[in-house]
Amino acid sequence: AQKITQTQPGMFVQEKEAVTLDCTYDTSDQSYGLFWYKQPSSGEMIFLIYQGSYDEQNATEGRYSLNFQKARKSANLVISASQLGDSAMYFCAMRGTSGSARQLTFGSGTQLTVLP
Amino acid sequence: EAQVTQNPRYLITVTGKKLTVTCSQNMNHEYMSWYRQDPGLGLRQIYYSMNVEVTDKGDVPEGYKVSRKEKRNFPLILESPSPNQTSLYFCASSSNRDRSNQPQHFGDGTRLSIL
């Protein structure tokens, strides 16, 4: 079985500063994908960034980057130059490639608040 | 526009009254899935479908049914809803079911309240 752990229920960051949201995972699959989603107060789930287990470089998408440390089984999301619109719930998720691991497993989420 | 459409967006109903939440996607995706979101628990998978006529249980299937008669549709059925099924529900779809790198596209969610 695969498991995602997000240990920060809530985080605060000052506008224009960078923030790191933690995510650790556990899986027996050799090949897997890690995802981050954003859920604003309006409720929709927005895909942010993806990291493959065999990707040698950390993924980046604009102000989002994923700090992938495979040996430590961590996939932290880094948001640079925070904006007020970044205030939202953030979910880390993973998807394996074998059997039931192909389902997407989510962490419990981190509520990020950006302060003006 | 590529999208996953859920209906209804909001529903308040009573215990025991059968209901169906519809989900439709226009991206020709093979893989579709239902999740429920509860505070502090993140999203938990209810059922998923690898393709037409192929469905399987997720982590919390009790009290739910699904069907996949057409590729684009994946309705969620609550035969006899109970208050513990009050939750926010999401339908999602993705392509390339055998690869782990495809992000799932989510619907806008359905907020169900069972009284």
Side-chain angles (χ1 to χ4, degrees):
Chain A
Q2 51 193 29
K3 185 178 179 182
I4 294 282
T5 302
Q6 295 179 255
T7 58
Q8 306 155 314
M11 290 277 288
F12 292 88
V13 64
Q14 208 70 39
E15 194 178 8
K16 299 178 186 173
E17 307 246 318
V19 63
T20 298
L21 306 184
D22 293 342
C23 173
T24 57
Y25 62 91
D26 192 21
T27 181
S28 55
D29 266 14
Q30 295 301 309
S31 177
Y32 50 88
L34 295 154
F35 304 82
W36 278 91
Y37 285 85
K38 172 184 178 182
Q39 185 180 41
S41 57
S42 50
E44 70 268 29
M45 295 289 287
I46 302 168
F47 166 68
L48 294 178
I49 195 167
Y50 162 81
Q51 178 82 44
S53 57
Y54 290 115
D55 293 341
E56 294 188 354
Q57 294 201 330
N58 287 340
T60 60
E61 289 286 347
R63 294 186 298 110
Y64 303 108
S65 61
L66 202 153
N67 184 0
F68 180 47
Q69 299 186 46
K70 194 171 182 177
R72 299 178 66 177
K73 293 191 174 180
S74 74
N76 298 339
L77 177 70
V78 181
I79 305 175
S80 62
S82 298
Q83 302 171 355
L84 295 177
D86 293 334
S87 293
M89 181 73 87
Y90 289 81
F91 290 99
C92 180
M94 76 175 297
R95 189 179 188 188
T97 52
S98 62
S100 62
R102 279 178 285 187
Q103 65 186 73
L104 196 62
T105 300
F106 284 83
S108 56
T110 296
Q111 180 70 48
L112 177 66
T113 303
V114 180
L115 303 171
Chain B
E1 180 190 351
Q3 59 186 4
V4 178
T5 304
Q6 293 178 229
N7 280 296
R9 293 290 314 280
Y10 304 92
L11 179 63
I12 301 174
T13 187
V14 296
T15 298
K17 186 176 180 182
K18 180 179 178 180
L19 67 91
T20 299
V21 185
T22 63
C23 174
S24 180
Q25 50 93 5
N26 62 1
M27 295 166 279
N28 202 36
H29 285 165
E30 297 92 354
Y31 186 96
M32 296 186 74
S33 180
W34 276 103
Y35 300 88
R36 61 177 289 173
Q37 182 181 4
D38 302 290
L41 297 176
L43 278 77
R44 295 177 293 167
Q45 192 174 53
I46 303 170
Y47 270 94
Y48 63 98
S49 170
M50 295 292 194
N51 213 324
V52 176
E53 301 292 358
V54 181
T55 63
D56 210 344
K57 296 177 181 179
D59 296 321
V60 288
E62 295 78 19
Y64 305 95
K65 284 176 58 176
V66 293
S67 68
R68 188 91 183 273
K69 293 184 171 57
E70 305 166 285
K71 197 171 188 179
R72 63 183 292 127
N73 296 324
F74 190 44
L76 179 70
I77 303 157
L78 285 71
E79 293 269 4
S80 183
S82 62
N84 65 10
Q85 293 177 298
T86 293
S87 188
L88 176 60
Y89 291 84
F90 286 99
C91 180
S93 72
S94 65
S95 65
N96 286 339
R97 65 183 187 274
D98 291 324
R99 298 186 181 183
S100 63
N101 63 347
Q102 299 301 314
Q104 293 197 1
H105 299 257
F106 283 81
D108 288 338
T110 295
R111 194 167 290 278
L112 281 183
S113 292
I114 316 292
L115 305 177

